[in-house]
Every structure is written in C-alpha cells, then in structure tokens.
Amino acid sequence: MSRAGPVAAVIALADRFGRVATDLRVSLTDRCNLRCTYCMPAEGLAWMPQPEQLTDDEVARLVRIAVERLGITGVRFTGGEPLIRRGLVGIIAEAARLDPRPKLSVTTNGIGLDRLAASLRGAGLDRVNVSLDTLDPDRFHALTRRDRHADVLSGLRAAADAGLTPVKINAVLMRGVNDDEAPALLRFALEHGYQLRFIEQMPLDAQHQWDRRAMVTADEILTALTPFDLQPDVVSRGTAPAETWLVPGHVDAAGEPARVGVIASVTRPFCGDCDRTRLTADGQVRNCLFATEESDLRKLLRDGAHDIEIAEAWRVAMWGKRAGHGIDDPAFLQPARPMSAIGG
C-alpha cells in the first residue's frame, strides 16, 4: 500500500561533486531471451527469484517518487530484456500519467517488439533503443546463440511504424568478431532513418573475462567511418553519453541532419557530466553503472515506509557517488552483478 505522506517540494538527487541525476534507468528483469557471448554464458545465469523482484505496483511507486520528489525527467526501462516483463505496458502507462510527465524509453534486444510496439506507443512510450551488433544472420547466431536476427529487424521496422522515434540502434564492436561492420551498420541506419550509437565494450560480463585489448575503441570506430566524412556536431551533447557527428548528405526519419554517435565509456569517460541513477529489478539503487555498493529501497517499500523516507534514502545513496568509474585505476573492481542484472 502506498504511503505518500505530505506533499513536499522537489529536492534534487545531487552528489558531492555537483552532479544532479535527472535520468532514471529501471531494470525490470534480469532475464533475457538471448545469450550474447559478451554478456553471459551459454547456459544463462541463476535468475532472480520472483519474490525478490519488484512488483508492477512497486516499480510504479518508485518511478512516481523519483519524478514527483526527486526531479527525474527521463525514465528508461531496461533489463535483462524488458519486453519479457508481462506488466511492461501497464508500467509505462502508469509512468505516462505522472505530472510532470517524464520522457519514457525502452532499451531492448528487439525480440517481440514487432508485436508490442503499437501497444507500447499507445501506453505512452516515446522511443526505443534496439541492440543490433551485426547485419549478418549467421554472425548474429554466433554472437547471441539464438537464431532471431530477422525478429530484431522486424522489431525495428515496427518501432518506426508505431512512431517510437527516433529509433536508435546500439552496436558493440568486438575485435575479430564484428569489428569490420562499422560502415555497413551506419549505411543500414542511414537507409532506414535510424540513429546509430556504437558502444565501447565495458567490463560488465557475467564471466568477468573482459579484456581491454579486445575492445574496439572510439578512435578505431571513427577511423573505420572515415569514408563518410563525418563532421563535428554543432549541438552540444549536454549530459548525453554519446558524442555525436553529422553525416553529410543524409537526414534522419524526421528530416533532421543524420547523426552517428559513439559512447566511449572506457577511453573517453564522461563521468563528470553523468546525470543517471539506476534501479535494479529487486529494488536496489545504484549510483553508478560500475558501483560496488547498493542501497535497498525494496525493504523500505515492503516495511511500509512513506514516500518521504524512500526519497531521502535515495538522496543519501546518490550523495555517495564517486567522481568516476575508475576503470583505469589499478584498484578497479568489476561489479559483482553483470549488465543483465544491473540494467543498461
């Protein structure tokens, strides 16, 4: 049962370094219907027991607290794979009814999006990010251990048709695996009016086998895109994680200049401008993707805490955020949770 408590002014999620979190990433499940080699082993993982996962009502309440009391203006639902969460459409509908209304997005592998895109749009979803690392079906099968490449392409088309725009593609390049596909992926995105974002592979795999030497860097990606004569983007990235470049001679689905982005979390960290806070599927606040500590909001919820108490615990959790993720620090420790359990 919700215990909202008295109406209070918004008090921002600030940290000791002057950063303010306005972007909430909500993981709805740690489960996934792919087995990407850079994320988890072929047999999958030990999934979170259902009673530990937040209920739909609990997710909706925490999102409401974040928006109404903590100044969150954007909410992205992630996983695992969020499309396999049965209550996803209802959760989005609840978030869309909030005042002020946050921008709502989903990061997905695209499987099932062809069936759900229209319903998600109807519920109030604004846009989607779809993961697609290769245009080769055989290579996709090798990377994901599943034969679902055609389903991802269908999902992209359905998202565009439903108006979930701009449709963004997230691609991770891996040395000796798909590092030759940067130009082809960009051409594909340009032809269909999608926005492409390359992401440097990060140390968030369940196997803890990440190797910096195998990572394709931002500089290497940009070198591979030299034939497109990319131009610096005149629009400031602000707190966005992607550095973007204009692609001369091309426009996106909205008629705006086409852009391609690179999220260089490892070689060009943007920690100083980070505006994100994260909520795991079991109700833990993570103040950084690479945090090694979490703060439990689920217990507060289930113990009957007022919204004010929950909001204050969230603020305390964010106040302790570190200046940076420290991947280059010899003392860096990879988080115990893999990406599938944290949420992107």
Side-chain angles (χ1 to χ4, degrees), residues 25 76 129 168-172 196-202 215-218 221 237 240-245 260-270 276 289:
R25 308 293 173 95
R76 180 179 300 185
N129 284 43
K168 294 186 179 180
I169 294 176
N170 295 339
V172 176
L196 178 62
R197 299 289 185 268
F198 291 102
I199 304 176
E200 288 183 339
Q201 185 184 1
M202 294 177 282
M215 180 191 71
V216 180
T217 68
I221 293 166
R237 69 189 285 190
E243 293 181 78
T244 55
W245 285 263
V260 60
V262 179
I263 300 176
S265 301
V266 178
T267 63
R268 302 181 186 180
F270 40 88
R276 284 166 291 290
L289 186 60

Side-chain angles (χ1 to χ4, degrees), residues 34-100:
L34 297 180
R35 296 291 181 270
C36 296
T37 56
Y38 57 84
C39 185
M40 66 177 71
E43 65 273 15
L45 300 168
W47 305 124
M48 182 185 301
Q50 193 67 27
E52 294 182 12
Q53 182 174 281
L54 294 176
T55 66
D56 293 357
D57 287 344
E58 288 171 335
V59 172
R61 184 181 173 198
L62 288 176
V63 171
R64 177 177 57 76
I65 291 170
V67 171
E68 294 181 352
R69 295 182 178 270
L70 300 172
I72 292 297
T73 59
V75 182
R76 180 179 300 185
F77 296 101
T78 69
E81 175 43 53
L83 297 192
I84 65 177
R85 174 84 183 223
R86 290 183 180 179
L88 175 61
V89 172
I91 289 169
I92 288 170
E94 286 293 319
R97 283 192 281 268
L98 294 174
D99 184 15

Side-chain angles (χ1 to χ4, degrees), residues 154-178:
S154 294
L156 284 165
R157 289 192 295 269
D161 290 343
L164 293 170
T165 54
V167 175
K168 294 186 179 180
I169 294 176
N170 295 339
V172 176
L173 299 183
M174 289 149 283
R175 197 173 309 285
V177 178
N178 65 338

Side-chain angles (χ1 to χ4, degrees), residues 267-313:
T267 63
R268 302 181 186 180
F270 40 88
C271 301
D273 295 316
C274 181
D275 68 344
R276 284 166 291 290
T277 184
R278 299 174 187 276
L279 185 66
T280 65
D282 56 350
Q284 310 299 306
V285 169
R286 297 180 64 87
N287 58 30
C288 173
L289 186 60
F290 296 96
T292 54
E293 296 179 348
E294 299 175 336
S295 299
D296 190 356
L297 298 188
R298 183 189 62 197
K299 186 176 189 305
L300 289 173
L301 281 172
R302 295 181 179 177
D303 286 349
H306 285 278
D307 286 1
I308 286 177
E309 297 172 81
I310 294 170
E312 182 57 28

